[in-house]
Amino acid sequence: MNKSIQIPPALAVIAAGRDFLTTAETAHALNRKDQTLRKWACLECGPVRPIRINSRLMWRVTDLAQLLNGESVANQAAHAKERCNHVTPQPDYPCLSQR
């Protein structure tokens, strides 16, 4: 089933026809700080998940559009809620132990 995703005008301006956004662009579009998105990626607890391209986080415009339109993003909400129950990050998270 192909469902057309309506991209909000403000997001369309930021994306400028691209399929992926950087963390800074995504943070601006979602009105969040860059570090919040990095935490979502590291702890896998955010409403959207990035992909990694050459060790950089890139965020799908279609996922962001669904989130901004109030839609569920590919069943990530339930998994994210479960993962975000961790109050403090544990040292066994690989993205935190590399620092």
Side-chain angles (χ1 to χ4, degrees):
M1 167 160 105
N2 281 337
K3 182 182 175 191
S4 178
I5 297 172
Q6 185 72 354
I7 298 181
L11 181 59
V13 169
I14 295 170
R18 296 175 292 158
D19 293 329
F20 298 95
L21 297 180
T22 65
T23 299
E25 292 168 328
T26 302
H28 177 72
L30 298 179
N31 196 26
R32 297 286 181 262
K33 293 192 180 224
D34 295 8
Q35 193 58 31
T36 299
L37 275 69
R38 290 186 194 101
K39 180 179 177 182
W40 288 352
C42 180
L43 300 180
E44 296 179 353
C45 70
V48 291
R49 287 214 188 125
I51 62 167
R52 294 185 190 277
I53 299 176
N54 294 331
S55 73
R56 294 187 66 189
L57 299 175
M58 299 299 283
W59 305 79
R60 288 182 187 87
V61 172
T62 54
D63 288 351
L64 300 174
Q66 286 179 310
L67 180 65
L68 291 172
N69 288 332
E71 301 171 16
S72 177
V73 181
N75 297 324
Q76 291 182 16
H79 181 69
K81 187 174 183 180
E82 179 183 315
R83 292 291 301 225
C84 279
N85 286 334
H86 300 289
V87 176
T88 56
Q90 301 299 317
D92 59 342
Y93 285 110
C95 57
L96 295 178
S97 62
Q98 294 174 0
R99 295 179 184 183

